[in-house]
Amino acid sequence: EIVMTQSPESLAVSLGETATINCKPSQSVFYNAKNKNYLAWYQQRPGQPPKLLVYWASTRESGVPDRFTGSGSGTDFTLTISSLQAEDVALYYCQQYYSTPYTFGQGTNLEIK
Amino acid sequence: QVVLVQSGAEVKMPGASLRMSCMTSGYSFTDYFLHWLRKAPGHGLEWLGLINPRSGTTTYAQKLEGRVTLTRDASSATVYLHVSSLKSGDTAVYYCAREGRDGDYKYWGQGTLVTVSA
């Protein structure tokens, strides 16, 4: 099983500033045959299912603001949220879908400072 | 548009069994794998298993293997999650989710709250 280590557990950032969340899989999630990293990022607000933000580590899902940027490869990934807005307050998860069981980070709780 | 609608909340006694449903619409049912996940209080998201709606082939999380069964009914484009021998630790919100491409989850059901309590 690939263990996903996500940090920090919680984060407080001022409106308009940048939030950075890190995710480190215990083994590489780069799929050589497709030249892609099998890693996704989700946002979850209370009472709602998770919402897909980024897939293949850096491809933004349709309709997601360009303030959300995924980067990284192999075993080191980052989600950057720039120009933080009040609506960005949520729980954020990384997920690997390289191999089953698909696994998630423990989550990062993003708040406004 | 793609929609996944899950069955309603359940309250069960320890040791009981549970079946919940996820009805899909808006796409060809057999073209995408469907997954089940859960989020227990104070815990992160946990993957439970997946089903290939075309063949019925399943893969389960080893932690729950033996207590979880996934089935599908192509005539109603519905997948089912069956959990047996329920424990208090199974208390969670359960989600069905459809793959977007290779295992990322673009579409989610609304979630089903399951409470296991004596």
Side-chain angles (χ1 to χ4, degrees):
Chain A
E1 172 175 324
I2 297 176
V3 176
M4 305 294 282
T5 301
Q6 189 176 333
S7 63
E9 286 186 13
S10 63
L11 184 60
V13 176
S14 301
L15 289 172
E17 297 299 307
T18 297
T20 302
I21 301 170
N22 300 297
C23 181
K24 296 183 185 297
S26 59
Q27 65 187 73
S28 176
V29 296
F30 183 74
Y31 188 16
N32 287 298
K34 293 199 174 182
N35 195 34
K36 294 187 186 298
N37 288 282
Y38 276 33
L39 184 126
W41 289 96
Y42 298 87
Q43 175 192 68
Q44 186 173 28
R45 297 189 176 105
Q48 296 184 17
K51 173 187 175 183
L52 178 64
L53 298 174
V54 171
Y55 58 95
W56 291 333
S58 60
T59 302
R60 198 177 297 114
E61 178 60 52
S62 173
V64 173
D66 59 9
R67 303 184 290 103
F68 292 87
T69 302
S71 61
S73 184
T75 60
D76 199 352
F77 298 90
T78 300
L79 176 70
T80 303
I81 309 169
S82 59
S83 303
L84 194 75
Q85 300 187 6
E87 68 203 47
D88 299 334
V89 169
L91 201 53
Y92 291 84
Y93 293 99
C94 59
Q95 176 223 355
Q96 66 81 18
Y97 48 100
Y98 179 86
S99 64
T100 58
Y102 295 163
T103 47
F104 293 79
Q106 278 302 101
T108 295
N109 189 29
L110 178 60
E111 300 174 332
I112 303 297
K113 188 185 294 183
Chain B
Q1 78 279 24
V2 176
V3 178
L4 282 62
V5 178
Q6 297 182 228
S7 48
E10 303 259 14
V11 179
K12 294 289 186 180
M13 299 280 285
S17 295
L18 165 71
R19 189 182 85 153
M20 67 182 78
S21 63
C22 172
M23 180 179 293
T24 72
S25 61
Y27 72 100
S28 176
F29 178 67
T30 55
D31 283 354
Y32 294 89
F33 288 9
L34 281 153
H35 300 240
W36 287 89
L37 306 97
R38 70 182 181 184
K39 187 175 186 317
H43 290 78
L45 286 161
E46 180 183 15
W47 181 82
L48 302 179
L50 66 87
I51 185 166
N52 178 339
R54 185 182 300 272
S55 65
T57 304
T58 54
T59 302
Y60 299 111
Q62 194 170 15
K63 174 183 173 183
L64 286 161
E65 197 143 16
R67 292 204 298 126
V68 168
T69 305
L70 302 185
T71 58
R72 93 294 192 205
D73 177 358
S75 67
S76 62
T78 300
V79 294
Y80 299 91
L81 168 68
H82 182 266
V83 185
S84 61
S85 303
L86 286 164
K87 312 171 187 177
S88 60
D90 294 318
T91 294
V93 177
Y94 288 73
Y95 296 100
C96 60
R98 200 209 83 175
E99 292 187 355
R101 287 143 285 266
D102 290 314
D104 56 292
Y105 302 125
K106 183 177 169 68
Y107 301 102
W108 295 72
Q110 82 275 21
T112 295
L113 175 62
V114 173
T115 304
V116 181
S117 173

